[in-house]
Amino acid sequence: MSDAAPPARTAAVIPAAGRGVRLGPGAPKALRMLGGTPMLVHAVRAMSASRAVSLVVVVAPPDDVAGVRALLDEYPAPERTDVLVVPGGATRQESVRRGLDALPDSVTTVLVHDAARPLVPVDTVDAVVEAVRDGGAPAVVPAVPLADTVKEVEPAGDGTPEPVLGTPERARLRAVQTPQGFDRATLVRAHREITGEVTDDAGMVERLGVPVVAVPGHEEAFKVTRPLDLVLAEAVLARRRVNDGF
Ligand code: CTP
Ligand code: MG
């Protein structure tokens, strides 16, 4: 028997337990159809398309774990990829934590990927995995430059004019996407030690004082949030079908 360490393994955790309130009434967002296939299935395929990813943990709406399991059996992932389904929590952070709790000991690198970003290209996934494995930083985010100028305001929230407090230099800003990639131990520590609302996992790692780096993201990794995003997603799929036809 060899006493060598178990092989390094990369897993993807897919938080998919949100309702999708901003998308409007209907099924939980991850279960909405895109090009005839549930959004979650696109997201699982996007992760398992990377040869580095050998396990996908789907964090499902807590009242529909069995339904999600059945759905994923209907649309199987490639044979080299295992898929687990666990129940989510009340917040995205809580859902990700539950996904991390389900990881076997052999996993050393973790991707966290929103089910709501179903169309991320495999090259982006691979670039994030490579950047984490290269050891340059224990946390890696895919990020894109902004098209709009961004202002900081004093929020009013009721439609009245909001005082502008400043204009950060646009060239220094990035919109951050997923999958975000992590050294597993670092991400687990962040989820244990950091409390309070943080909108992404890398933000929690930053608060530990641990370095985070950004690599180029992709415009097709956009998040499906509002109804117009569904129109864009359908258009991207239609374009891919045309391109694949040649
Ligand atoms: N998410 C989750 N558990 C929650 C809330 C969100 O797993 N309690 C997941 C969503 O399913 C989604 C990702 O986190 O894949 C990003 O969240 P977001 O785009 O905000 O999705 P929702 O929270 O579902 O949408 P909304 O905020 O409009 O309700
Ligand atoms: Mg949300």
Side-chain angles (χ1 to χ4, degrees):
M1 218 178 91
S2 158
D3 59 359
R9 215 169 166 227
T10 299
V13 171
I14 302 185
R19 301 299 311 176
V21 172
R22 287 169 289 179
L23 206 52
K29 180 160 74 177
L31 305 183
R32 305 276 190 112
M33 302 302 260
L34 265 188
T37 305
M39 199 180 307
L40 173 61
V41 171
H42 288 283
V44 171
R45 285 178 179 166
M47 295 301 104
S48 55
S50 169
R51 301 201 71 83
V53 174
S54 50
L55 170 67
V56 176
V57 178
V58 171
V59 188
D63 57 358
D64 200 18
V65 174
V68 168
R69 179 76 260 175
L71 183 77
L72 293 170
D73 288 343
E74 218 179 294
Y75 297 88
E79 220 159 77
R80 61 189 155 76
T81 316
D82 294 328
V83 180
L84 294 177
V85 183
V86 299
T91 63
R92 182 184 180 284
Q93 246 167 312
E94 173 66 15
S95 293
V96 171
R97 198 185 57 70
R98 291 186 183 198
L100 295 177
D101 286 345
L103 295 176
D105 289 345
S106 59
V107 171
T108 53
T109 300
V110 182
L111 302 178
V112 180
H113 180 62
D114 292 328
R117 298 182 190 272
L119 303 181
V120 61
V122 66
D123 288 354
T124 306
V125 182
D126 285 339
V128 170
V129 172
E130 266 165 47
V132 180
R133 286 184 169 179
D134 283 354
V140 176
V141 297
V144 291
L146 299 183
D148 293 323
T149 293
V150 172
K151 303 256 183 232
E152 186 185 358
V153 300
E154 188 61 58
D158 58 0
T160 58
E162 300 173 320
V164 171
L165 303 177
T167 308
E169 189 190 337
R170 190 175 62 191
R172 295 175 61 86
L173 299 177
R174 299 286 182 268
V176 170
Q177 306 174 323
T178 72
Q180 299 187 350
F182 303 91
D183 163 62
R184 178 202 182 149
T186 304
L187 183 60
V188 167
R189 184 158 76 88
H191 273 265
R192 206 170 43 225
E193 291 181 17
I194 303 300
T195 52
E197 199 54 37
V198 182
T199 53
D200 73 335
D201 298 280
M204 302 176 72
V205 170
E206 287 161 45
R207 284 175 45 182
L208 290 177
V210 168
V212 176
V213 299
V215 298
H218 195 284
E219 60 179 357
E220 292 181 4
F222 66 93
K223 185 152 72 78
V224 175
T225 305
R226 298 182 184 83
L228 195 58
D229 300 322
L230 285 175
V231 178
L232 180 59
E234 293 286 357
V236 170
L237 284 173
R239 184 174 69 179
R240 285 185 187 174
R241 275 193 294 269
V242 169
N243 290 343
D244 290 351
F246 290 97

